[in-house]
Amino acid sequence: MRIYLDHNATTPLDPLVADRMTHALREVWGNASSVHHFGQQAKAALDEARGSVASLLGADASEVVFTAGGTESDNIAIRGAAEALEPSGRRHLITSAIEHEAVLNTMKALANRGWRVTVLAVDATGIVSSDRLREAMTDDTALVSVMHANNEIGTIQPIAELAAIAHERGALFHTDAVQSAGKLPLDVRVLGVDMASIAGHKVYGPKGTGALWLKRGVRLAPPSTGGRQERNRRAGTENVPALVGFGVATEVAKAKLSGEGERLTALRDRLEAGILAAVSGSERNGAASPRVPNTTNISIERVESESLLIGLDLAGIAVSSGSACSSGTLEPSHVLKAMGLSHGRTLGSIRFSLGASNTEADVDRVLEVLPPLVEKLRSLTTVGGRK
Ligand SMILES: Cc1ncc(COP(=O)(O)O)c(C=O)c1O
C-alpha cells in the first residue's frame, strides 16, 4: 500500500465527486448558454455548483467566476486589476516573496511591461509584516496580492490586517487562497479582500477547475476576448461536468471542515514531533502557528531532499521536496530562501502534506522508514562538501 503525503500538490477525487461527474459527463452535456432544454439543464447544474463554491467562501454566487484553476484565477485577478486601473495612473503593484509562481511570474511579466512591482520580504517564520506593507504602499499602488496560506510551509498570513492597509490607500487586495480553501474556514468578507483565488484539485475536485471570487463592484479588464460567459468576465464554453465536480468537492469540504481539521492537526503534529525527536539535525521550517492543519516542512541536515524523496518513494511514501533539480544542480525553494534559511537547510527540506486518506498507521510507517533512511544517506554522501 502506498502512502500519499503530497496533498498540497494535488488531491485525489472524492468518490462522491467522481460519481456526480460521471453522471454529468453522460447526461449534462448541453451548452450552458443555449436557450433550449439541454442548455438550461447545463445552466442549472452550473448554477448549483456556483452556489456551492460561493458557500465555501462565504460569498454570493453572482460574485464567483469559474476558471480553469488557481493559475488562471491569479492571472485574471492581477492582470485584470492592473489593466483596469492603468488609466487612473496607478502603476504600482505589491506582492510577497513567498507567493506561488502563478502570482510571482505574473507580477514579473507586468514589471517587464512597465509596472513598478514591490516584492515584500518575509520574516524567518514566513510571515509578511503589516509594517512592511504600510511602508511599501504609495498613492499609485493599484493592487496588493498576498497569499492566504503558503503551499510549502503552510503558514497563514494576517490577510484582514494587510487588506485594511491596502484599502487605506485606495488599492485593491487579492489573496491566493488555493491552499487554505477546504483546510480553514474561509470567509472572504471577514478577510476583507476584493478578490480570492481557489482551485478544484486541491479540495478533492477535478484538475483544471477553479474560481475567482470577485467582490461586487470590482471591475477587471477581461483577460481574453470571446463570448459573454461568466458575465463577461471569462469567455469560453464552461466545462460543466468538471465544474459540477468542483461544486460537489466544495460541499464535501465545507461539511468536513472542522472535524477533518482537528484530525489532520493531530496526525501532522504527531508526525512532526516524531521526526524532530528521531532524526538528529532536523528542524521545522516556518511558524508552528498559525498554519494550515495538514502541512509540515522539515529540513534535515547533511542530506539532500531529492535523495530523501526518492528513498521514501522507493519505500512507498510520496512526499515533496523543498528543492528542485534544475540543469543538474539543486535549486533551493524560493520560499525557504526568502525566509533567510541557510543554503544547507534549504537543500535538505521536505514537505509532508496530509489529507483525507491518511491514518496513524501512515504516520507510524514514515517514522519507521525515515530515520534509518537519513542515516543511510548520510553514510553514503557528503552534501556539496557541507558534511
Ligand atoms: C498557492 C497556490 N497558488 C496557485 C496554484 C496553482 O493552481 P493550479 O494548479 O490550479 O493552476 C497552486 C498550485 O500548486 C498553489 O499552491
Side-chain angles (χ1 to χ4, degrees):
M1 277 290 279
R2 291 195 172 266
I3 298 172
Y4 186 72
L5 292 168
D6 201 14
H7 292 83
N8 287 6
T10 196
T11 55
L13 281 189
D14 181 276
L16 183 65
V17 171
D19 285 351
R20 297 276 291 275
M21 280 181 71
T22 306
H23 174 265
L25 277 164
R26 290 180 189 282
E27 309 292 339
V28 193
W29 46 265
N31 184 327
S33 301
S34 300
V35 176
H36 49 61
H37 165 80
F38 298 93
Q40 292 311 299
Q41 185 194 26
K43 181 170 181 310
L46 208 54
D47 286 347
E48 190 182 337
R50 201 183 303 281
S52 303
V53 171
S55 165
L56 183 72
L57 298 172
D60 193 87
S62 64
E63 300 167 310
V64 171
V65 180
F66 280 132
T67 67
T71 301
E72 192 190 358
S73 299
D74 288 343
N75 269 268
I76 295 178
I78 298 167
R79 290 176 192 270
E83 277 179 37
L85 289 170
E86 194 179 2
S88 70
R90 288 182 179 257
R91 298 268 294 173
H92 179 223
L93 306 166
I94 301 180
T95 191
S96 89
I98 62 166
E99 299 298 309
H100 188 272
E101 285 84 353
V103 169
L104 281 179
N105 288 339
T106 304
M107 291 284 182
K108 268 188 207 155
L110 289 167
N112 288 338
R113 287 171 44 200
W115 270 271
R116 205 155 50 78
V117 175
T118 302
V119 179
L120 299 174
V122 294
D123 66 17
T125 65
I127 302 290
V128 176
S129 99
S130 305
D131 289 342
R132 279 226 168 94
L133 175 60
R134 199 170 278 112
E135 282 161 25
M137 293 294 307
T138 64
D139 288 335
D140 73 339
T141 306
L143 172 76
V144 179
S145 179
V146 176
M147 71 199 320
H148 192 201
N150 181 267
N151 44 308
E152 295 191 26
I153 53 174
T155 48
I156 300 165
Q157 303 300 332
I159 294 299
E161 224 174 288
L162 300 175
I165 294 167
H167 290 153
E168 275 166 25
R169 302 292 288 267
L172 290 173
F173 195 96
H174 164 252
T175 191
D176 176 334
V178 166
Q179 292 289 348
S180 55
K183 296 185 181 123
L184 301 174
L186 197 58
D187 186 321
V188 284
R189 316 241 182 243
V190 172
L191 288 180
V193 298
D194 301 293
M195 296 179 274
S197 304
I198 66 169
H201 75 110
K202 309 286 186 182
V203 294
Y204 305 90
K207 290 164 188 55
T209 59
L212 175 65
W213 172 75
L214 201 54
K215 188 168 144 187
R216 184 165 303 138
V218 173
R219 301 242 165 274
L220 298 184
S224 53
T225 44
R228 303 226 299 251
Q229 291 89 352
E230 300 297 301
R231 297 171 178 239
N232 281 328
R233 294 171 299 192
R234 200 267 190 179
T237 302
E238 294 92 345
N239 183 352
V240 176
L243 293 170
V244 163
F246 181 26
V248 175
T250 57
E251 278 170 32
V252 174
K254 192 174 177 197
K256 285 191 175 165
L257 205 53
S258 69
E260 187 62 355
E262 280 166 29
R263 191 184 77 85
L264 291 178
T265 302
L267 281 182
R268 187 271 315 272
D269 289 352
R270 204 168 107 108
L271 175 69
E272 185 175 285
I275 294 173
L276 297 181
V279 179
S280 65
S282 59
E283 243 178 302
R284 186 195 57 246
N285 295 321
S289 140
R291 188 166 46 141
V292 286
N294 77 321
T295 307
T296 179
N297 186 307
I298 294 177
S299 281
I300 302 181
E301 263 180 11
R302 292 186 286 118
V303 285
E304 287 180 346
S305 50
E306 292 288 299
S307 313
L308 277 171
L309 187 150
I310 292 163
L312 287 171
D313 193 39
L314 289 172
I317 300 166
V319 300
S320 145
S321 86
S323 55
C325 194
S326 138
S327 329
T329 57
L330 278 182
E331 284 296 321
S333 124
H334 71 279
V335 174
L336 301 182
K337 233 163 111 176
M339 287 158 60
L341 299 194
S342 70
H343 193 61
R345 201 164 146 188
T346 58
L347 291 188
S349 76
I350 42 178
R351 175 186 73 185
F352 300 88
S353 49
L354 289 74
S357 69
N358 295 132
T359 60
E360 286 196 0
D362 295 348
V363 170
D364 292 345
R365 178 73 184 141
V366 176
L367 295 177
E368 186 183 305
V369 168
L370 186 64
L373 174 64
V374 170
E375 286 317 311
K376 186 173 147 205
L377 290 172
R378 281 179 178 160
S379 72
L380 292 175
T381 54
T382 307
V383 182
R386 285 177 294 101
K387 197 164 166 86

